[in-house]
Amino acid sequence: MATCFIIGAAGKVGQKLTRQLSSKGHTVTALHRKPEQAEILQAAGAKPVAGDIQQLSVTALAELMTGHDVAVFTAGAGGAGIALTNAIDGEGLKLAVAAAEQAGVSRFMLVSAFPDAGRGKTPSEGFENYMRVKRLADAELVASKLEWVILRPGTLTDEAGTGRVHADLAIPYGEVPREDVAATLVGLIENPAIKYQIIELTKGDQQIDVALQRLQRG
C-alpha cells in the first residue's frame, strides 16, 4: 500500500481520488485550503492537512510531505483568472516539485492539460495563458529529479465513470469522466514501473488496468 500526498484534494478529481485510494487501503494525506473542506476529506478517508500552496514555503510544504511515497498534484485555478492560474498551476507546481525533492518523495503525478484542448474555438487570453502555464509546468516536472508521470485528460465530465479508457502516449482528443481520471491515477500509483511518461487519457473501450499494462516499463 502507498502513502499518498494529494495537492488539490478538495477539487472534483481530488475528492474522487482520495475516496478511491482510501477504499483500496492506501494512506492519503489531503492538503486543503478552506477549513470546511477538512470534514469532507476526512469522510472520504483522508487525513486532512491545512495549507495553501500560495502561502507555504518549500520547507513548510516539504515537512508536510515527508514520509509519503507519492505526491499527486491535481490543483488548478479552474479558469479563475490569469493571476490565479499563474500562482496555482504554475508557481504552485514549482513549489510542490521542490518540496517533494526536499522531502524525499520520489514519485510525483501531475494532472495536466490535453494539448488539443480548445482546438476549433477562438481562444481567450486567459485560455492561452492557461495552456502556456500548463506546458511550462510539465517541463518543470520533467526537468526534476523525481520519478514523474504526467497525465493529460481530455475534456472532464461529471458523468459516471465506466472503468474503461483510452490511454496512450498520443491519442485523439475526447472527453473523460473525472471518476475515470481518478481511477487511472490510482492505477498509476499502483504501478511504479510506469514512470517518465506523458500519458493522454479519454474515455475508451479498455479496462484501466489493461490500458496501463502496455505503458509499463521495467
Side-chain angles (χ1 to χ4, degrees):
M1 294 294 103
T3 54
C4 310
F5 189 93
I6 304 177
I7 299 171
K12 291 183 178 181
V13 171
Q15 287 189 42
K16 295 179 188 301
L17 176 60
T18 297
R19 192 173 298 108
Q20 290 182 28
L21 284 170
S22 299
S23 70
K24 297 188 73 173
H26 299 287
T27 300
V28 180
T29 300
L31 186 70
H32 66 92
R33 183 169 56 89
K34 300 177 181 179
E36 61 269 24
Q37 294 168 338
E39 186 176 348
I40 296 171
L41 293 168
Q42 189 169 25
K47 174 187 175 183
V49 175
D52 186 346
I53 57 173
Q54 296 181 79
Q55 304 294 331
L56 288 168
S57 66
V58 170
T59 299
L61 183 55
E63 289 177 356
L64 296 176
M65 296 174 78
T66 297
H68 294 82
D69 302 317
V70 57
V72 181
F73 190 97
T74 183
I82 289 176
L84 203 57
T85 295
N86 294 346
I88 296 176
D89 301 72
E91 295 303 317
L93 183 276
K94 289 182 182 180
L95 173 78
V97 168
E101 290 180 330
Q102 184 170 311
V105 181
S106 60
R107 300 180 66 207
F108 197 108
M109 311 283 169
L110 170 63
V111 180
S112 186
F114 206 111
D116 287 327
R119 180 166 290 181
K121 301 178 182 179
T122 302
S124 65
E125 181 184 0
F127 185 78
E128 286 281 9
N129 179 73
Y130 169 80
M131 294 304 292
R132 179 187 66 82
V133 169
K134 284 294 190 183
R135 177 68 171 177
L136 291 174
D138 289 354
E140 182 79 19
L141 179 56
V142 169
S144 75
K145 299 176 182 178
L146 303 170
E147 292 184 0
W148 55 267
V149 175
I150 296 170
L151 187 65
R152 292 176 171 173
T155 298
L156 299 171
T157 71
D158 289 322
E159 65 185 38
T162 65
R164 294 182 177 272
V165 299
H166 188 186
D168 214 326
L169 305 183
I171 62 174
Y173 190 57
E175 297 182 343
V176 61
R178 287 180 171 88
E179 192 171 340
D180 285 335
V181 175
T184 301
L185 287 167
V186 174
L188 290 168
I189 289 168
E190 293 179 340
N191 285 275
I194 303 175
K195 55 186 175 182
Y196 308 125
Q197 295 193 54
I198 298 175
I199 301 168
E200 296 178 354
L201 181 73
T202 63
K203 59 184 177 183
D205 299 324
Q206 287 190 316
Q207 291 285 351
I208 290 172
D209 58 346
V210 175
L212 294 181
Q213 279 178 6
R214 67 188 308 271
L215 297 170
Q216 293 185 27
R217 295 176 180 173

